[in-house]
């Protein structure tokens, strides 16, 4: 079991990094986030995650480190898919490009807090009700099949306002336009929220909905709440910069859905097999973490390379690659 001091150190370190990140975003005049800046920050967060994994290896051994890396790659891969919806949200709310990085940062910070609560509840439930592993496994397999089905049907990515977002719209008077990066303004003596707050809530709550498949997926790789939380945290922290770095490249990742569906299906089957193994079913294998890490990493490399090759072939034919349909 991970000691309390490790939780305190990690959460404190994450808050410090996020505070520095937020200060850099807020200082001076609002400006667009350049590709070069995004590249630096993505590299920084990836190196930070690798360093944390190495630290886990030296402190708790290779098994914990392997679980972290497998969980981190899975969460990061699923996060790439989430960026499509983020693009739709930004377009729907017509967020000025200069303020998009702040919207993403605050929205993701909200998602991180809510995911922390979700992870704590999930860990407690799994500890008390072992049969939930079968439910999680079946749900992941169902989600994988549904992703492929939607992709084959060519259904377009949509954003539907959730209950919390609709409540915020009704509960608080909202200005018609943006007031810089402010989330509230005072007009004629009346305090009103701006669309900036609405879109932050939209990003945060939408990302929480994505956790409905990503959290069960990572619990299929590790039962340790500490690993689940840190893998989620490091994946989310680099998501904002990844949004600006990938940009139009997302439209070229035409096979990403198949890769993510395969990963979710694999983890779902792994969950069921390990639950059966724990129930002393002789034929059910226990899949080691290095196998999971290899399958996840290889899958993402293959679908990325295949997508880019297809995009190049389509470009030579004079065709525009179609946006990813999930």
């Amino acid at each position: 079991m991970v000691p309390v001091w490790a939780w305190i150190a990690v959460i404190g370190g994450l808050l410090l990094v996020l505070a520095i990140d937020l200060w850099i975003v807020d200082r001076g005049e609002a400006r667009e986030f350049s590709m070069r800046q995004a590249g630096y920050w993505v590299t920084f967060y990836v190196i930070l995650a690798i360093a944390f994994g190495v630290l886990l290896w030296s402190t708790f051994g290779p098994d914990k480190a392997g679980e972290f890396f497998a969980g981190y790659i899975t969460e990061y891969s699923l996060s790439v898919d989430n960026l499509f919806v983020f693009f739709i949200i930004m377009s729907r709310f017509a967020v000025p490009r200069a303020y998009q990085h702040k919207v993403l940062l605050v929205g993701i910070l909200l998602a991180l807090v809510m995911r922390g609560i979700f992870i704590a509840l999930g860990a407690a439930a799994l500890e008390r009700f072992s049969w939930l592993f079968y439910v999680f496994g079946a749900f992941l397999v169902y989600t994988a099949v549904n992703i492929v089905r939607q992709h084959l049907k060519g259904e377009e990515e949509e954003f539907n306002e959730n209950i919390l977002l609709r409540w915020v719209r009704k509960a608080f008077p909202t200005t018609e336009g943006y007031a810089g990066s402010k989330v509230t303004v005072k007009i004629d003596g009346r305090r009103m929220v701006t669309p900036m707050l609405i879109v932050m809530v939209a990003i945060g709550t939408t990302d929480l909905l994505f956790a409905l498949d990503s959290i069960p997926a990572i619990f299929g790789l590790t039962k340790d709440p500490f690993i689940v939380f840190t893998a989620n945290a490091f994946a989310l922290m680099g998501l904002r910069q990844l949004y600006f770095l990938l940009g139009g490249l997302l439209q070229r990742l035409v096979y990403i859905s198949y890769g993510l569906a395969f990963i979710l299906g694999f983890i779902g089957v792994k969950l069921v097999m390990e639950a059966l193994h724990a129930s002393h079913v002789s034929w059910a294998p226990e899949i080691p973490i290095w196998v999971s890490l290899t399958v996840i990493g290889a899958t993402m490399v293959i679908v990325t390379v295949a997508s880019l090759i297809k995009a190049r072939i389509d470009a030579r034919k004079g065709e525009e690659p179609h946006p990813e349909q999930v």
Side-chain angles (χ1 to χ4, degrees), residues 14-31 33 37 41 45 101-102 105-106 109 240-241:
L14 291 175
L15 290 176
L16 178 61
V17 172
L18 287 172
I20 295 173
D21 199 345
L22 184 59
W23 174 76
I24 292 175
V25 167
D26 275 341
R27 62 175 182 160
E29 293 295 326
R31 56 194 181 281
F33 210 82
Q37 286 176 301
W41 277 101
Y45 278 123
H101 47 72
K102 182 175 181 179
L105 179 59
V106 177
L109 188 58
R240 176 174 65 96
Q241 290 81 7

Side-chain angles (χ1 to χ4, degrees), residues 207-219:
D207 188 83
L208 181 63
L209 292 177
F210 288 135
L212 293 178
D213 55 28
S214 65
I215 297 298
I218 194 172
F219 269 118

Side-chain angles (χ1 to χ4, degrees), residues 158-176:
E158 294 181 357
F159 167 68
N160 297 314
E161 294 188 358
N162 53 61
I163 295 175
L164 179 58
L165 187 56
R166 290 197 297 269
W167 176 81
V168 171
R169 280 186 176 278
K170 292 180 180 179
F172 300 98
T174 308
T175 61
E176 292 185 5

Side-chain angles (χ1 to χ4, degrees), residues 3-233:
V4 176
W5 65 261
W7 280 97
I8 296 174
V10 167
I11 293 175
L14 291 175
L15 290 176
L16 178 61
V17 172
L18 287 172
I20 295 173
D21 199 345
L22 184 59
W23 174 76
I24 292 175
V25 167
D26 275 341
R27 62 175 182 160
E29 293 295 326
R31 56 194 181 281
E32 293 186 14
F33 210 82
S34 69
M35 289 282 289
R36 187 174 184 180
Q37 286 176 301
Y40 285 145
W41 277 101
V42 167
T43 303
F44 168 73
Y45 278 123
V46 170
I47 291 175
L48 197 63
I50 293 173
F52 180 77
V54 172
L55 181 62
L56 278 178
W57 187 302
S58 62
T59 306
F60 299 106
D63 289 341
K64 291 293 183 185
E67 290 175 358
F68 170 77
F69 282 121
Y72 171 71
I73 294 172
T74 299
E75 293 298 320
Y76 210 55
S77 301
L78 291 170
S79 295
V80 171
D81 194 47
N82 300 349
L83 294 181
F84 289 104
V85 178
F86 290 173
F87 274 113
I88 294 172
I89 293 174
M90 292 294 188
S91 300
R92 175 165 180 175
F93 289 95
V95 182
R97 188 168 177 81
Y99 302 123
Q100 288 183 4
H101 47 72
K102 182 175 181 179
V103 169
L104 286 168
L105 179 59
V106 177
I108 289 170
L109 188 58
L110 289 173
L112 182 58
V113 173
M114 291 185 288
R115 280 197 186 202
I117 298 172
F118 193 13
I119 290 168
L121 294 174
L126 288 172
E127 189 174 348
R128 293 188 60 185
F129 309 108
S130 58
W131 52 266
L132 282 175
F133 285 109
Y134 294 103
V135 176
F136 277 12
F139 174 73
L140 290 177
V141 173
Y142 167 78
T143 302
V145 173
N146 200 40
I147 287 175
V148 174
R149 185 182 300 164
Q150 289 180 354
H151 181 82
L152 292 175
K153 287 181 178 179
E155 295 180 3
E156 295 184 0
E157 194 75 75
E158 294 181 357
F159 167 68
N160 297 314
E161 294 188 358
N162 53 61
I163 295 175
L164 179 58
L165 187 56
R166 290 197 297 269
W167 176 81
V168 171
R169 280 186 176 278
K170 292 180 180 179
F172 300 98
T174 308
T175 61
E176 292 185 5
Y178 290 90
S181 61
K182 296 179 180 179
V183 294
T184 65
V185 292
K186 205 168 186 179
I187 300 177
D188 297 329
R190 186 188 185 193
R191 179 64 62 179
M192 303 180 71
V193 302
T194 70
M196 184 68 68
L197 177 64
I198 304 298
V199 73
M200 286 177 179
V201 173
I203 293 288
T205 54
T206 299
D207 188 83
L208 181 63
L209 292 177
F210 288 135
L212 293 178
D213 55 28
S214 65
I215 297 298
I218 194 172
F219 269 118
L221 300 170
T222 177
K223 310 302 184 293
D224 191 332
F226 180 76
I227 302 297
V228 174
F229 174 77
T230 51
N232 269 272

Side-chain angles (χ1 to χ4, degrees), residues 19 75 111 122 168 179 198 263 269 288 293 316 323:
E75 293 298 320
V168 171
I198 304 298
I263 290 173
V269 172
L293 185 57
R316 288 176 180 174

